[in-house]
Structures are given as C-alpha cells and as structure tokens.
Amino acid sequence: MIDQLEYNTERPHLIIPEYGRHIQKMVDHCLAIDDKEARNKCAKSIIAVMGNLNPHLRDVPDFQHKLWDQLFIISDFKLDVDSPYPKPSIEELRERPQPLGYPQNHPKYRFYGNNIKRMIDVARGWDEGDMKNALVINIANHMKKSFLNWNKDTVEDSVIFQHLYELSEGEFNLKDSEEDLSDSSDLLKTKKRFQKKSSGKKGGRSRKRH
C-alpha cells in the first residue's frame, strides 16, 4: 500500500496550481482524445467546470475569454480545439510587461504631499484675476492645514507664504500680502470635530451590530 502512495514531489508539475490536479488531469485526458468533435465537447465541459470553481467571476467582462486562455495554458498550448476566442501564443505569455513609470519626484516639503504641488501647478496656468487669487489663498490654507497635521502646534503665515513661494518657483508671492490665513486653532478644531464624527459613526455601527 505504501508503494502505491503518490507524493507531490513525484507528480507532474501543475501549470496553473489554482485549478488543482483534477483539472490538469481532465486537460491531459482531453489531449489524448483523437476525435476532434469529442475533444471539442470535452474542452467545453472542462470550461464549465473551471467556471464553476469561480462563480463570483461569471459576471466579469471577458471571463469566458480568460477561461479559454487558461485552458490552452494548462495544456501547454498543445490542445487542438475550436475556441470561440483567438488562441493565445506562448510568446505572449512569456513577454515581460513594460516597467511602470513611477514618479521620481522628491519634494522638499514632503508633509504637503503631491496633491498640493499639483494644485499649485494648476493655479500657475490660470489667467490672472480674482478667481486665481482666491485659489492661491485656498491652496495656502490647505498647506497650513497639512503643516499642522505634521506639526500639531502652530505655524506662522510667513512660513507658509515662503514655502508657497518656493513651490511655485517664485510665481506666488504672498509675503507682503495683507491676506490672513485661517487661524491654526480653528484648523485644529476642525480636524478634531471631524475625528469625533468619524469615531461616533464607527461606534454607532458597532452598537447596531450588538
């Protein structure tokens, strides 16, 4: 009896392990069928079983296409059946994807985040006028709020104006402006109120579950 036991180390390699060995054996059986019509019926039956293993994906677009591609992959591209979709090639499978173009920016003031820099760049493209001036002030207030998230004490408006001047490459100069930004205590209060509301909602949901 011990001599008849099968060990995974002695079994053939599974091409797509997620489907298990039974699907692999079904595909191997389909490959051994000589009659093409019977082979086509066998392939459709295998596709049905593969679909039943992933019922949550039945409504996903191109789900059937993916199943047929995986069937050919499991057969090591040796299965000769009539597929409703173009048969994939082994060259496409082995083709390495193009590397993603990750942004390589290293901002000087990381606590502001990339979105603040994007807002500044957008504002620089606006025409001069009241709308642009209002946007710049709003950006400065967002910068002050972000600064307070990093340093939960206080910050002078002059510091924010200097950082805005640098991040806008000298285009937005509010150093001599009579405009005042929101008070640090008001920004911190707004943050605390938001945190209390968020925690209250979580607590309310947990009480309902009990």
Side-chain angles (χ1 to χ4, degrees), residues 144-155:
K144 188 171 183 177
K145 189 185 299 184
S146 298
F147 190 101
L148 291 171
N149 286 334
W150 169 69
N151 180 6
K152 300 177 183 179
D153 186 11
T154 185
V155 59

Side-chain angles (χ1 to χ4, degrees), residues 71-84:
L71 175 64
F72 286 116
I73 292 171
I74 292 173
S75 71
D76 198 21
F77 300 92
K78 297 175 182 177
L79 188 61
D80 180 19
V81 292
D82 297 326
S83 170

Side-chain angles (χ1 to χ4, degrees), residues 116-153:
I116 290 291
K117 185 63 172 70
R118 293 191 188 102
M119 292 168 65
I120 292 173
D121 292 338
V122 169
R124 292 178 65 184
W126 282 27
D127 294 332
E128 297 296 332
D130 294 338
M131 291 288 291
K132 183 174 182 177
N133 294 336
L135 177 60
V136 172
I137 294 299
N138 276 324
I139 292 173
N141 274 312
H142 276 294
M143 291 174 63
K144 188 171 183 177
K145 189 185 299 184
S146 298
F147 190 101
L148 291 171
N149 286 334
W150 169 69
N151 180 6
K152 300 177 183 179
D153 186 11

Side-chain angles (χ1 to χ4, degrees), residues 18-198:
E18 290 82 356
Y19 282 108
R21 191 162 299 278
H22 291 298
I23 292 292
Q24 182 72 57
K25 288 183 176 181
M26 291 172 67
V27 175
D28 293 340
H29 170 73
C30 191
L31 282 167
I33 298 175
D34 294 329
D35 183 67
K36 186 166 185 179
E37 184 177 351
R39 199 163 57 243
N40 283 333
K41 290 181 179 179
C42 182
K44 291 179 181 178
S45 298
I46 296 173
I47 291 293
V49 175
M50 292 169 65
N52 287 334
L53 294 175
N54 299 283
H56 59 288
L57 296 177
R58 286 179 177 173
D59 297 330
V60 175
D62 296 330
F63 176 55
Q64 287 291 317
H65 194 172
K66 292 178 181 179
L67 290 180
W68 279 95
D69 285 350
Q70 290 172 342
L71 175 64
F72 286 116
I73 292 171
I74 292 173
S75 71
D76 198 21
F77 300 92
K78 297 175 182 177
L79 188 61
D80 180 19
V81 292
D82 297 326
S83 170
Y85 307 99
K87 184 178 179 180
S89 66
I90 194 169
E91 289 78 18
E92 290 176 337
L93 180 65
R94 292 178 176 174
E95 184 178 355
R96 299 186 66 179
Q98 294 293 326
L100 291 174
Y102 288 105
Q104 298 298 322
N105 56 333
H106 302 286
K108 182 177 180 181
Y109 306 112
R110 297 193 177 191
F111 44 85
Y112 290 131
N114 289 326
N115 287 335
I116 290 291
K117 185 63 172 70
R118 293 191 188 102
M119 292 168 65
I120 292 173
D121 292 338
V122 169
R124 292 178 65 184
W126 282 27
D127 294 332
E128 297 296 332
D130 294 338
M131 291 288 291
K132 183 174 182 177
N133 294 336
L135 177 60
V136 172
I137 294 299
N138 276 324
I139 292 173
N141 274 312
H142 276 294
M143 291 174 63
K144 188 171 183 177
K145 189 185 299 184
S146 298
F147 190 101
L148 291 171
N149 286 334
W150 169 69
N151 180 6
K152 300 177 183 179
D153 186 11
T154 185
V155 59
E156 297 293 333
D157 289 355
S158 58
V159 174
I160 301 299
F161 293 157
Q162 176 62 33
H163 292 174
L164 177 63
Y165 181 80
E166 294 178 22
L167 292 174
S168 66
E169 298 179 11
E171 185 167 336
F172 299 146
N173 187 358
L174 300 179
K175 298 176 184 178
D176 299 326
S177 172
E178 297 180 357
E179 191 77 38
D180 292 327
L181 300 180
S182 299
D183 190 77
S184 297
S185 58
D186 292 335
L187 292 173
L188 290 172
K189 287 178 183 177
T190 303
K191 180 184 176 184
K192 289 180 180 177
R193 283 199 300 268
F194 176 77
Q195 289 176 340
K196 287 182 179 179
K197 286 182 181 179
S198 300

